[in-house]
């Protein structure tokens, strides 16, 4: 910096220095101590696991207590830091930006860059450590019912009951293997994020001990550090967040962040303000975005986990919201453990006092505990899920996470993106209008000729124009025209021109023309005249005409239409885009003083199946919300076409301004949310889950959808989606058809219903059976069943329940979302458990008073074995439906056959040689007659209780 002696220059420098101090003060006020600790780079190093260790317990307790809190529209501390850093540099002069990151206009030296890489680590967007295989295996093993089975298995081996021990270990092995494989396959999805910055980067570095020179070198993206000056051109990826230093017609695609395919212009010589949405900042380019056209240089201001992209995806790989079903299973676990500790202890004490045989009493206690535990629960649950996955595979769905099938049955809100899901994802032409909004054939004629003769690259809009002309019977006779030259489309001009001529001397179109079509503003920029079709004259394009066209374009855009402009100019015969010696002339010499003809409008139509599918989902109680990065006007039109309400709509920038309470209220109410960033999509989903207590599904196929996919209860993508979206998804659709989701919802509810049948039936049957055993033991002062008989009864009954996943559900059950109710199971047990115990006691009294069985242990064991097995087998038919079993509704054939086989085995068992070995005796025919009366009474009373329960709680399963 050189000194200036003039007072004006001195004053100017003083003011600049003063402004610099003020800006530095503002910056340091928000980063405070964090940046003071690292003044060499002014880049915030993320806290490592080692740094967090002393506070891990406190953090865990805080998460435990506030696990249901959601920040709503507010940002986290890390996000706020990144936002303020980017806004600060977007508002600052270039000289001040260099000061912030401690760099120079020549760039960093090689030595300084190496030092920063060693200090901060490689430029990786996410510092995500994946759980080891043994950690996943431990989590899969550490499941409540697995613990019970392992403990009981160990006790069985200790007491030499090896068959029962092996059976329980096999069940544990199946459950652990399925869960481990599922979690291991989905734990590495975050690695895909690194693909978005893998690219060699051109960097300006300075070298030399005495005289430093600037050198352009190519480095790996991992070696880029804050303070580097990067040089970029079409196709390059930005290796970090970049403040532009220079730009020449720079166009950048931010589709990886916003989901919008249309690129955005970036300008270096501009100073932004806080009112501009972050992703709309013109002088900031973000990590993971890429250059479409143009060139420029930029100063890297953030890398690694300090970038906007890393802040967005920092939540990738975290756990999803708690599964209500899993939480319910834990409640059952605690219930059974409590009952087990009380009842089994009492029965052990009574048996030991009576028999004085410790080993026999221990074995009997283990048998009772085994009977109390729903041993087949992991197998039944996984079988139900596997059957649902196979059924969905037939509907062209790949199920990656089987538990998502059950969640799909509980889903009551489906968040979907617009493009390709509700729409066909290709444009159709709607109309051809003049500047007053009236259809004009001449506008269509020249738009058609432009699309017909352009050869550089056919775009979807060209196909839409050609299809419109051919399908509507227009005969523009392109064979009578000859192409002379072409100026291809690029993202700087955003228009395409062709030079054509015809020899038709008697036609009004005879001669040589340049025909241009493209972005409306770019076409109007080269127009000096306008054709007034109603007056059949060409006039100068006035400011009034210009404004009228813009207003017309805005009205059409508000209707959800895409608009392009069409212009022409008649040329002299010798005028082309290429000179006689083959050297290209300046395009501006040709594309100038053109006549504006009119507008061509396009629309991405909704799918024919979308409206029907959304209606079918609504019938099943699933509400649709559209979460998209597209414009509100276009999204609103599509939603109207497919029947989604548009009374409550909002955009991402508007959400950003809301306080937390208003944010949640707005999200619950809104059906259309447009111009959302990935973080906003995430927060919308979290708000619906926690504050609204909804089970949320999310359908998306882009990088910008990955955050929402990662946190949704049911994450759905399509086979054509990007790699990270498919990795995050639980379900992948092989067709972009919402009707597939309707079938998935039905499969999910069927899976959930059959699972709940077993859960409720097994808990009631097992609790009722054990309580009945306790009562019988108090009556008879000896074991109602020996340990071998009890384990055999339990095994036969458990095997018979394997058919439950193949059962059907009531049609009424499939019409509404089904969720686990926190109070549902306890109340269900309190209402229905005593019914089972009541009729067991009735059987006990009949045996006591009618057969005097208290003096004949073998007879009582035989009678109690048959009655208990039949009671546990037949209870499924009472539980499985709201209707009257065997009269209004009959179970599926697999369940019926299973019931018949198990019942036959139970009745015939005392007559078999195995029964004699187990010390069973033959039962009189009168006892079987009594059982018929007993079970008719049981189903009658059980049905009355069922109707009362439904009347009170308005649900059954």
């Amino acid at each position: 910096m050189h000194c200036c002696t003039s007072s004006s220059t001195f004053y100017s420098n003083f003011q600049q220095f003063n402004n610099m101090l003020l800006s530095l003060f503002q910056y340091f006020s928000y980063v405070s101590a964090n940046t003071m600790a690292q003044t060499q780079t002014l880049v915030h190093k993320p806290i490592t696991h080692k740094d967090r260790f002393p506070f891990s317990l406190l953090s865990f307790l805080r998460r435990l207590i506030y696990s249901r809190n959601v920040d709503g529209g507010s940002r986290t501390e890390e996000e706020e830091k990144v936002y303020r850093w980017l806004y600060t540099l977007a508002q600052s002069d270039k000289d001040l930006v260099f000061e912030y990151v401690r760099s120079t206009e020549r760039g960093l030296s090689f030595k300084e860059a190496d030092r920063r890489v060693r200090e901060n680590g490689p430029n990786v967007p996410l510092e995500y450590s994946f759980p080891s295989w043994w950690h996943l295996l431990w989590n899969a093993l550490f499941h409540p019912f697995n613990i019970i089975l392992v403990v009981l298995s160990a006790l069985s081996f200790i007491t030499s009951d090896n068959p029962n021990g092996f059976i329980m270990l096999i069940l544990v092995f199946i459950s652990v293997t399925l869960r481990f494989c599922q979690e291991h396959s989905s734990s590495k999805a975050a690695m895909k994020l690194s693909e978005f910055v893998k690219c060699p980067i051109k960097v300006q570095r300075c070298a030399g001990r005495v005289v430093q020179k600037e050198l352009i070198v190519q480095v790996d993206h991992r070696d880029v550090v804050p303070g580097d000056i990067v040089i970029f051109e079409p196709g390059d990826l930005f290796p970090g967040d970049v403040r532009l230093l220079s730009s020449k017609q720079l166009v950048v695609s931010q589709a990886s962040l916003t989901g919008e395919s249309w690129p955005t212009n970036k300008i270096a010589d501009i100073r932004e303000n806080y009112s501009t949405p972050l992703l709309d900042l013109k002088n900031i380019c973000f990590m993971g975005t890429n250059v479409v056209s143009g060139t420029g240089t930029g100063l890297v201001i953030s890398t690694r986990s300090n970038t906007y992209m890393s802040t967005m995806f920092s939540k990738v790989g975290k756990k999803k919201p708690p599964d209500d079903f899993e939480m319910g299973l834990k409640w059952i676990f605690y219930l059974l453990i409590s009952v087990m500790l009380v009842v089994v202890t009492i029965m052990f004490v009574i048996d030991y006092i009576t028999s004085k045989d410790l080993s026999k009493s221990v074995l009997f206690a283990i048998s009772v505990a085994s009977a109390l535990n729903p041993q087949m629960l992991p197998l039944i649950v996984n079988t139900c899920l596997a059957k649902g996955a196979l059924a969905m595979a037939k509907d062209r769905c790949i199920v990656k996470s089987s538990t998502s099938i059950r969640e799909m049955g509980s889903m009551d809100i489906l968040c979907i993106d617009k493009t390709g899901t509700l729409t066909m994802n290709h444009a159709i032409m709607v109309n051809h209008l003049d500047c007053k909004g009236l259809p004009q054939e001449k506008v269509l004629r020249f738009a058609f000729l432009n699309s017909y003769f352009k050869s550089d690259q056919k775009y979807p809009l060209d196909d839409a124009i050609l299809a419109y002309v051919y399908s509507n019977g227009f005969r523009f006779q392109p064979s009578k025209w000859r192409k002379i030259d072409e100026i291809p489309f690029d993202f700087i001009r955003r228009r395409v021109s062709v030079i054509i001529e015809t020899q038709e001397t008697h036609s009004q179109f005879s001669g040589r023309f340049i025909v241009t079509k493209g972005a409306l503003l770019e076409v109007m920029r080269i127009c000096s005249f306008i054709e007034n079709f109603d007056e059949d004259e060409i006039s100068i394009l006035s400011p009034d005409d210009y404004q009228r066209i813009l207003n017309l374009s805005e009205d059409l855009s508000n209707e959800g239409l895409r608009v392009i402009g069409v212009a022409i100019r008649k040329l002299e015969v010798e005028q082309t885009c290429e000179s006689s010696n083959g050297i290209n002339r300046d395009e501006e010499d040709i594309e100038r003083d053109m006549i504006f003809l009119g507008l061509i409008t396009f629309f991405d139509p909704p799918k024919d199946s979308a409206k029907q599918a959304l209606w079918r989902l609504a019938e099943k109680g699933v509400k649709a919300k559209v979460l998209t990065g597209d414009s509100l006007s276009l999204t609103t039109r599509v939603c109207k076409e497919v029947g989604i309400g548009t009374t409550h709509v909002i955009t991402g920038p508007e959400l950003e301004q809301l306080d937390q309470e208003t944010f949640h209220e707005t999200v619950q109410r809104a059906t259309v949310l447009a111009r959302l960033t990935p973080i906003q999509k995430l927060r919308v989903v979290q708000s619906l889950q926690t504050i609204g207590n909804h089970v949320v599904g999310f359908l998306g196929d882009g990088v910008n959808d990955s955050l929402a996919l990662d946190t949704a209860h049911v994450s759905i993508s399509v086979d054509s989606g990007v790699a990270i979206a498919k990795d995050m998804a639980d379900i992948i659709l092989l067709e972009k058809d919402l009707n597939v989701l309707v079938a998935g919802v039905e499969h999910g509810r069927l899976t959930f219903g059959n699972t709940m049948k077993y859960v409720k039936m097994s808990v009631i049957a097992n609790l009722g059976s054990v309580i009945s055993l306790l009562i019988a033991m108090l009556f008879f002062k000896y074991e109602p069943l020996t340990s071998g008989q009890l384990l055999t009864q339990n095994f036969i009954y458990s095997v018979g329940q394997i058919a439950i996943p193949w059962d059907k559900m009531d049609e009424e059950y499939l019409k509404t979302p089904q969720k686990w109710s926190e109070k549902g199971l306890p109340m269900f047990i309190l209402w229905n458990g005593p019914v089972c115990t009541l009729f067991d006691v009735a059987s006990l009294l009949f045996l006591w008073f009618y057969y005097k069985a208290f003096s004949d242990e073998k007879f009582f064991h035989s009678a109690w074995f048959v009655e208990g097995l039949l009671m546990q087998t037949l209870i499924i038919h009472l539980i499985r439906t709201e209707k009257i079993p065997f009269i209004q509704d009959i179970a599926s054939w697999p369940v019926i056959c299973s019931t018949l086989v198990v019942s036959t085995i139970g009745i015939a068992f005392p007559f078999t040689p195995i029964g004699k070995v187990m010390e069973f005796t033959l039962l009189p025919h009168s006892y079987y007659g009594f059982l018929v009366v007993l079970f008719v009474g049981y189903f009658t009373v059980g049905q009355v209780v069922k109707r009362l329960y439904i009347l009170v709680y308005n649900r059954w399963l």
Side-chain angles (χ1 to χ4, degrees):
M1 181 183 294
H2 31 254
C3 300
C4 298
T5 56
S6 67
S7 60
S8 60
T9 306
F10 176 80
Y11 179 76
S12 175
N13 288 340
F14 178 79
Q15 284 294 101
Q16 183 179 4
F17 179 73
N18 187 44
N19 291 337
M20 184 182 73
L21 287 178
L22 179 61
S23 299
L24 281 171
F25 174 76
Q26 293 172 344
Y27 170 67
F28 281 111
S29 67
Y30 77 79
V31 298
S32 62
N34 290 326
T35 52
M36 293 298 292
Q38 296 178 337
T39 55
Q40 293 182 342
T41 59
L42 289 183
V43 176
H44 313 299
K45 184 179 180 181
I47 300 174
T48 63
H49 294 292
K50 184 177 179 180
D51 298 330
R52 284 200 306 258
F53 179 77
F55 308 101
S56 59
L57 180 59
L58 181 61
S59 301
F60 171 77
L61 292 175
R62 189 182 296 113
R63 288 195 303 269
L64 186 65
I65 296 172
Y66 301 106
S67 60
R68 293 183 61 84
N69 288 347
V70 175
D71 58 357
S74 61
R75 292 187 287 263
T76 64
E77 183 179 348
E78 291 76 12
E79 292 168 357
E80 186 65 31
K81 194 176 294 183
V82 170
Y83 270 62
R84 297 185 66 178
W85 171 247
L86 292 173
Y87 273 113
T88 298
L89 271 67
Q91 296 175 88
S92 303
D93 289 328
K94 296 175 186 176
D95 294 339
L96 192 57
V97 174
F98 283 111
E99 292 290 335
Y100 280 151
V101 295
R102 289 189 176 272
S103 185
T104 67
E105 295 180 357
R106 294 190 301 271
L108 298 174
S109 67
F110 288 92
K111 183 178 180 181
E112 175 65 14
D114 290 341
R115 187 190 66 80
R116 295 189 182 190
V117 170
R118 290 194 304 270
E119 182 177 311
N120 296 325
N123 180 26
V124 179
L126 279 182
E127 295 185 347
Y128 183 78
S129 58
F130 301 103
S132 58
W133 65 268
W134 60 266
H135 183 74
L136 294 175
L137 184 61
W138 175 258
N139 286 339
L141 179 63
F142 202 75
H143 189 275
F145 289 97
N146 290 337
I147 294 173
I148 295 179
L149 290 175
V150 169
V151 171
L152 293 179
S153 175
L155 292 175
S156 297
F157 285 121
I158 291 173
T159 55
S160 301
D161 186 16
N162 296 333
N164 190 47
F166 278 117
I167 290 173
M168 287 186 280
L169 283 182
I170 291 172
L171 295 174
V172 171
F173 175 78
I174 295 173
S175 175
V176 171
T177 302
L178 290 173
R179 186 171 180 181
F180 170 75
C181 293
Q182 174 189 320
E183 292 187 357
H184 187 265
S185 62
S186 61
S187 65
K188 296 185 178 180
M191 292 183 66
K192 295 293 181 181
L193 289 174
S194 60
E195 295 179 0
F196 298 108
V197 292
K198 284 186 177 179
C199 182
I201 308 298
K202 291 181 181 178
V203 177
Q204 177 179 304
R205 297 269 171 85
C206 58
R209 293 185 177 180
V210 180
V211 179
Q212 290 194 335
K213 296 182 179 180
E214 294 85 10
L215 299 176
I216 306 298
V217 295
Q218 202 169 64
V219 301
D220 186 79
H221 75 280
R222 296 168 60 90
D223 297 327
V224 174
V225 294
D228 269 331
I229 297 176
V230 293
I231 297 93
F232 39 84
E233 55 191 20
D236 287 345
L237 287 167
F238 290 99
D241 291 341
V242 172
R243 169 63 157 88
L244 292 179
L245 301 176
S246 65
S247 62
K248 183 178 180 182
Q249 297 175 324
L250 181 62
V251 179
V252 174
S253 172
Q254 299 186 155
S256 60
L257 303 182
T258 64
E260 295 186 58
S261 57
W262 198 252
T264 181
N265 296 318
K266 295 290 185 177
I267 305 169
D269 297 324
I270 189 175
R271 293 181 65 179
E272 295 284 5
N273 54 62
Y274 273 105
S275 63
T276 305
L278 184 70
L279 294 179
D280 291 342
L281 294 174
K282 295 295 184 183
N283 58 4
I284 299 290
C285 295
F286 301 93
M287 173 185 270
T289 62
N290 63 284
V291 180
V292 176
S293 62
T295 57
T297 62
L299 182 67
V300 178
I301 56 177
S302 299
T303 58
R304 304 175 69 244
S305 57
N306 300 294
T307 61
Y308 173 74
M309 176 185 177
S310 298
T311 303
M312 282 173 45
F313 293 103
S314 61
K315 300 175 180 64
V316 168
K318 303 298 187 293
K319 291 184 178 180
K320 292 193 176 188
D323 186 345
D324 290 340
F325 185 83
E326 290 293 331
M327 297 295 290
L329 292 185
K330 289 182 179 180
W331 183 89
I332 296 175
F333 167 75
Y334 295 131
L335 171 67
L336 294 181
I337 287 293
S338 301
V339 173
M340 198 178 294
L341 291 174
V342 176
V343 176
V344 174
T345 301
I346 294 174
M347 297 181 74
F348 167 77
V349 171
I350 295 174
D351 187 72
Y352 179 70
I353 293 173
T354 304
S355 64
K356 303 298 182 180
D357 188 340
L358 180 61
S359 60
K360 179 183 176 184
S361 300
V362 170
L363 185 59
F364 178 71
I366 293 174
S367 302
V368 173
S370 177
L372 184 60
N373 182 45
Q375 299 177 6
M376 302 298 287
L377 180 61
L379 184 61
I380 293 293
V381 169
N382 289 317
T383 303
C384 286
L385 296 176
K387 182 177 177 296
L390 290 174
M392 292 185 68
K394 295 179 181 178
D395 292 324
R396 298 183 61 76
C397 288
I398 299 174
V399 180
K400 293 171 56 184
S401 173
S402 56
T403 55
S404 62
I405 301 173
R406 185 177 61 238
E407 296 279 19
M408 211 165 185
S410 304
M411 180 177 69
D412 56 350
I413 287 184
L414 175 63
C415 299
I416 53 181
D417 191 14
K418 174 189 66 64
T419 306
T421 304
L422 297 179
T423 64
M424 295 183 179
N425 202 19
H426 70 264
I428 62 170
M429 182 180 155
V430 178
N431 218 329
H432 42 96
L433 309 172
D434 64 7
C435 61
K436 295 182 179 178
L438 301 175
Q440 294 295 339
E441 185 176 304
K442 186 176 182 180
V443 179
L444 178 62
R445 179 187 296 272
F446 281 102
F448 167 79
L449 293 173
N450 179 288
S451 297
Y452 183 87
F453 284 107
K454 65 172 290 193
S455 59
D456 180 63
Q457 185 176 357
K458 283 288 192 296
Y459 287 94
L461 299 186
D462 296 308
D463 296 333
I465 292 173
L466 297 177
Y468 182 88
V469 170
Y470 294 140
S471 62
N472 286 279
F474 291 98
R475 299 184 180 277
F476 294 142
Q477 299 178 312
S479 59
K480 295 185 178 181
W481 292 81
R482 183 171 67 92
K483 177 181 175 181
I484 305 299
D485 211 338
E486 176 179 352
I487 307 175
F489 178 89
D490 61 61
F491 281 99
I492 299 173
R493 293 165 43 254
R494 297 174 63 191
R495 58 181 182 264
V496 59
S497 298
V498 295
I499 300 174
I500 55 177
E501 69 174 3
T502 180
Q503 303 299 327
E504 289 289 316
T505 57
H506 302 293
S507 171
Q508 59 172 323
F509 303 115
S510 62
R512 179 172 293 184
F513 293 86
I514 176 173
V515 184
T516 301
K517 78 174 191 304
L520 180 61
L521 290 178
E522 297 300 325
V523 171
M524 292 175 65
R525 192 171 66 84
I526 59 174
C527 290
S528 301
F529 306 94
I530 187 171
E531 182 157 349
N532 298 306
F533 291 94
D534 53 349
E535 300 175 4
D536 195 21
E537 66 175 13
I538 296 174
S539 60
I540 295 176
L541 181 64
S542 66
D544 291 339
D545 293 327
Y546 190 91
Q547 190 60 45
R548 183 171 66 251
I549 295 170
L550 290 182
N551 292 339
L552 174 61
S553 172
E554 185 177 355
D555 292 340
L556 293 171
S557 297
N558 290 336
E559 294 177 10
L561 299 176
R562 186 174 174 182
V563 178
I564 65 172
V566 181
I568 64 171
R569 179 165 67 92
K570 195 165 186 178
L571 302 174
E572 300 298 331
V573 176
E574 66 275 7
Q575 280 187 291
T576 65
C577 191
E578 192 175 280
S579 62
S580 58
N581 61 2
I583 301 174
N584 289 334
R585 305 166 97 194
D586 190 348
E587 295 159 357
E588 296 292 337
D589 292 341
I590 302 297
E591 293 178 328
R592 60 178 176 80
D593 298 331
M594 301 192 71
I595 303 168
F596 185 82
L597 292 184
L599 310 171
I600 304 292
T601 61
F602 302 88
F603 181 55
D604 186 3
K607 293 181 178 178
D608 295 335
S609 61
K611 187 172 185 178
Q612 177 192 12
L614 290 172
W615 179 75
R616 291 176 62 193
L617 284 171
E619 269 195 327
K620 295 184 178 300
V622 180
K623 298 179 181 178
K625 288 181 181 284
V626 176
L627 278 58
T628 180
D630 284 342
S631 66
L632 179 61
S633 57
L634 181 58
T635 306
T636 301
R637 169 159 182 164
V638 171
C639 291
K640 287 180 179 178
E641 294 275 346
V642 298
I644 296 178
T646 56
T647 305
H648 301 290
V649 300
I650 196 167
T651 63
E654 292 171 340
L655 278 178
E656 196 76 19
Q657 306 302 318
L658 302 179
D659 60 71
Q660 185 169 327
E661 183 177 353
T662 309
F663 174 88
H664 293 308
E665 293 176 356
T666 303
V667 165
Q668 305 301 318
R669 185 172 60 251
T671 54
V672 178
L673 300 96
R675 294 187 62 200
L676 296 182
T677 66
I679 292 180
Q680 288 171 336
K681 288 185 179 182
L682 168 68
R683 289 188 175 129
V684 167
V685 171
Q686 289 178 329
S687 175
L688 293 171
Q689 289 173 327
T690 54
I691 307 301
N693 197 28
H694 296 288
V695 177
V696 181
F698 189 91
L699 172 59
D701 58 359
V703 179
N704 60 307
D705 297 321
S706 55
L707 283 180
L709 286 169
D710 190 47
T711 197
H713 291 102
V714 186
S715 51
I716 310 161
S717 189
V718 293
D719 190 42
S720 58
V722 299
I724 187 173
K726 291 190 288 186
D727 282 342
M728 295 290 183
D730 300 320
I731 297 172
I732 297 177
L733 307 182
L734 299 182
E735 296 179 4
K736 277 191 174 182
D737 189 350
L738 289 178
N739 282 296
V740 176
L741 292 183
V742 178
V745 168
E746 293 176 349
H747 293 313
R749 291 178 186 175
L750 179 62
T751 299
F752 185 85
N754 283 333
T755 305
M756 290 306 300
K757 286 177 187 177
Y758 177 79
V759 170
K760 292 188 173 182
M761 176 206 67
S762 61
V763 172
I764 290 176
N766 292 0
L767 280 174
S769 174
V770 170
I771 293 173
S772 300
L773 283 171
L774 176 60
I775 295 173
M777 201 166 188
L778 293 173
F779 263 85
F780 289 88
K781 305 301 181 182
Y782 58 76
E783 297 175 353
L785 292 173
T786 66
S787 58
Q789 293 168 348
L790 185 57
L791 290 173
T792 302
Q793 182 193 67
N794 189 48
F795 176 76
I796 296 173
Y797 150 72
S798 297
V799 171
Q801 308 312 312
I802 294 178
I804 290 177
W806 284 267
D807 196 16
K808 60 183 180 179
M809 293 299 302
D810 296 337
E811 292 183 4
E812 294 79 6
Y813 185 87
L814 300 177
K815 289 181 179 179
T816 56
Q818 303 298 331
K819 296 176 61 177
W820 181 285
S821 174
E822 295 180 358
K823 298 180 179 179
L825 186 59
M827 298 311 299
F828 193 90
I829 294 172
L830 290 176
W831 278 69
N832 295 276
V835 177
C836 184
T837 303
L838 173 66
F839 283 87
D840 279 339
V841 172
S843 176
L844 176 66
L845 294 175
F846 184 77
L847 292 172
W848 179 281
F849 292 106
Y850 187 80
Y851 290 112
K852 311 297 183 182
F854 52 84
S855 60
D856 188 348
E857 286 189 29
K858 287 187 177 181
F859 179 80
F860 180 75
H861 287 168
S862 303
W864 194 259
F865 177 88
V866 173
E867 187 272 341
L869 182 59
L870 293 179
M871 175 68 75
Q872 290 179 310
T873 303
L874 294 174
I875 192 176
I876 180 61
H877 295 276
L878 182 66
I879 299 296
R880 60 170 297 278
T881 178
E882 295 183 9
K883 301 175 182 178
I884 301 175
F886 305 113
I887 298 175
Q888 293 180 328
D889 187 78
I890 300 177
S892 64
W893 280 110
V895 175
I896 291 292
C897 292
S898 173
T899 301
L900 291 175
V901 170
V902 172
S903 300
T904 302
I905 292 174
I907 294 172
F909 208 82
F911 298 91
T912 63
I914 299 177
K916 293 180 180 179
V917 172
M918 298 185 68
E919 298 183 346
F920 285 136
T921 186
L922 300 181
L923 298 172
H925 296 296
S926 59
Y927 181 70
Y928 294 106
F930 163 74
L931 290 180
V932 172
V933 175
L934 180 76
F935 288 119
V936 168
Y938 170 72
F939 278 104
T940 302
V941 175
Q943 189 65 29
V944 171
V945 173
K946 181 196 297 184
R947 297 316 306 172
L948 291 174
Y949 179 88
I950 295 173
L951 187 65
V952 173
Y953 296 101
N954 199 31
R955 62 174 297 167
W956 180 237
L957 290 177

